[in-house]
Amino acid sequence: DIIDAINSIERFVGDLTPTEEDSYTREAKELYAYIGLKPESLPDTYSGIRSHIETMLNDKRLAVGDAALSLAPYILLEQASVPNALRRFMRLFALDALPDELMRQYGLRITPGERKIARRRAEDIKRALPYLPPVVRYNPQFLVAQRRQNGETIAPWQKQHPRLYWLLHASRELLPRKK
């Protein structure tokens, strides 16, 4: 949701101004129509969305249902083929981001020490991010859109398969070249 997206940006990239938060909120709420919500019924500001979610949590309109419980192992990467060390940190990041009430409903917990580790690692990522090459730092779709915006020709396969384009581009940029 909007709150998770903004929290993730602020956690791993950098702080947003209130104007940026509100702008993101207005743009993102249009996507809610795709999941059956009426965008016009939602607040236009980030603080309004936060208050709306808080109210829904408190009066139990927002709760963990059967569908959410069945998806939890995938969201928490228990069913993913991800290296264990990476899985552990991604799971901690997910748990640290969950509101306490939802964590309770899922039957999950995070210790104060794990929360501290998650927040420290997030700060490490935020500090390292500016030093990473663009091919690692940015989403594949962003790189394709950026090339298009710069007037570069984008082949149809690059638009249809941005992750494949990213992989090929990354291998050219990151792997040593033969002389």
Side-chain angles (χ1 to χ4, degrees):
D1 74 345
I2 294 168
I3 293 173
D4 290 336
I6 290 176
N7 286 346
S8 293
I9 291 167
E10 291 182 336
R11 172 179 278 190
F12 298 111
V13 180
D15 294 335
L16 297 175
T17 66
T19 302
E20 290 170 325
E21 290 173 344
D22 290 346
S23 176
Y24 185 91
T25 300
R26 282 188 299 280
E27 292 172 19
K29 80 177 208 173
E30 296 304 317
L31 300 174
Y32 281 120
Y34 293 107
I35 59 170
L37 296 174
K38 295 178 182 166
E40 64 275 5
S41 70
L42 298 168
D44 283 329
T45 64
Y46 179 61
S47 63
I49 288 283
R50 287 186 70 89
S51 176
H52 181 69
I53 297 290
E54 192 78 27
T55 299
M56 289 175 54
L57 276 170
N58 290 337
D59 66 15
K60 308 293 188 238
R61 285 184 290 154
L62 181 59
V64 175
D66 292 339
L69 284 172
S70 69
L71 292 172
Y74 299 96
I75 294 168
L76 296 173
L77 302 172
E78 292 165 5
Q79 301 292 326
S81 57
V82 176
N84 282 338
L86 182 59
R87 179 182 302 146
R88 177 174 177 253
F89 284 116
M90 291 176 77
R91 185 175 194 281
L92 286 179
F93 293 143
L95 290 175
D96 187 42
L98 263 180
D100 291 338
E101 175 58 23
L102 292 180
M103 193 178 310
R104 187 190 64 70
Q105 291 177 31
Y106 274 112
L108 300 169
R109 63 188 279 293
I110 185 171
T111 68
E114 289 171 326
R115 197 175 291 279
K116 189 174 182 179
I117 289 169
R119 292 180 180 177
R120 238 189 230 151
R121 293 301 77 82
E123 284 298 318
D124 293 343
I125 290 169
K126 190 189 290 189
R127 278 194 300 276
L129 197 61
Y131 301 101
L132 296 175
V135 72
V136 175
R137 194 157 110 201
Y138 298 113
N139 180 299
Q141 288 86 347
F142 172 82
L143 294 172
V144 170
Q146 188 179 47
R147 287 187 59 209
R148 194 174 324 134
Q149 189 176 30
N150 291 338
E152 296 178 45
T153 303
I154 306 297
W157 72 268
Q158 292 172 331
K159 291 178 197 171
Q160 293 172 334
H161 306 286
R163 293 193 189 288
L164 178 59
Y165 160 72
W166 176 86
L167 183 62
L168 293 170
H169 187 69
S171 65
R172 273 189 259 128
E173 193 168 310
L174 298 175
L175 297 176
R177 297 173 196 243
K178 292 182 182 178
K179 294 183 181 186

